[in-house]
Amino acid sequence: MKVTLISIPVRDQEKALQFYTEKLGFLIKKDAPLEGGNRWITLVSREWQDGPELLLEPAPNHFEPSKVFQDALMEAGIPYTQFDVDNVDAEYERLCKLDVVFSVKPTEMGTVKFAVFNDTCGNNIQIVETL
């Protein structure tokens, strides 16, 4: 068994697509229309194009429990998911220049360094570097 698809709830798929590709650097793997004006949009890491796909899931717009959960995580400041990076400080600087808003600046904790930013689509995302 292996992980091939991970979904992240987004409230605006087009806005999420722009953020995740233009600012974070993910690549589009699939983009197909679905009913109700939604799309099946999956992205992959530029560095790991054969790795798991990230689905930009419009669930908060159609499934109230998803919206409630997403809102609760944001209010508590808890990241929805995390992405590994080689250098948190360098990624923090790069993303700040692209106007990405961080709620937690690079911070060391034990054997990792992490930072948390807002993806503009309803989620906190954590980036992590193993020290």
Side-chain angles (χ1 to χ4, degrees), residues 84-89 111-114 127-131:
D84 289 356
V85 297
D86 292 330
N87 185 316
V88 165
D89 292 319
T111 60
V112 298
K113 183 181 278 190
F114 69 96
I127 54 174
V128 175
E129 167 190 355
T130 302
L131 301 173

Side-chain angles (χ1 to χ4, degrees), residues 1-56:
M1 190 176 311
K2 62 182 176 178
V3 176
T4 59
L5 182 80
I6 301 164
S7 66
I8 187 162
V10 299
R11 298 192 181 186
D12 182 325
Q13 285 185 304
E14 187 58 38
K15 184 177 179 182
L17 180 59
Q18 290 174 5
F19 183 86
Y20 280 79
T21 57
E22 295 173 12
K23 298 202 179 200
L24 300 186
F26 285 91
L27 303 173
I28 298 170
K29 178 97 178 209
K30 297 177 185 128
D31 187 353
L34 298 173
E35 293 180 10
N38 297 310
R39 292 153 59 190
W40 183 265
I41 304 171
T42 66
L43 309 173
V44 291
S45 168
R46 185 176 306 278
E47 295 85 15
W48 192 17
Q49 294 181 32
D50 292 327
E53 295 176 46
L54 180 65
L55 173 66
L56 301 180

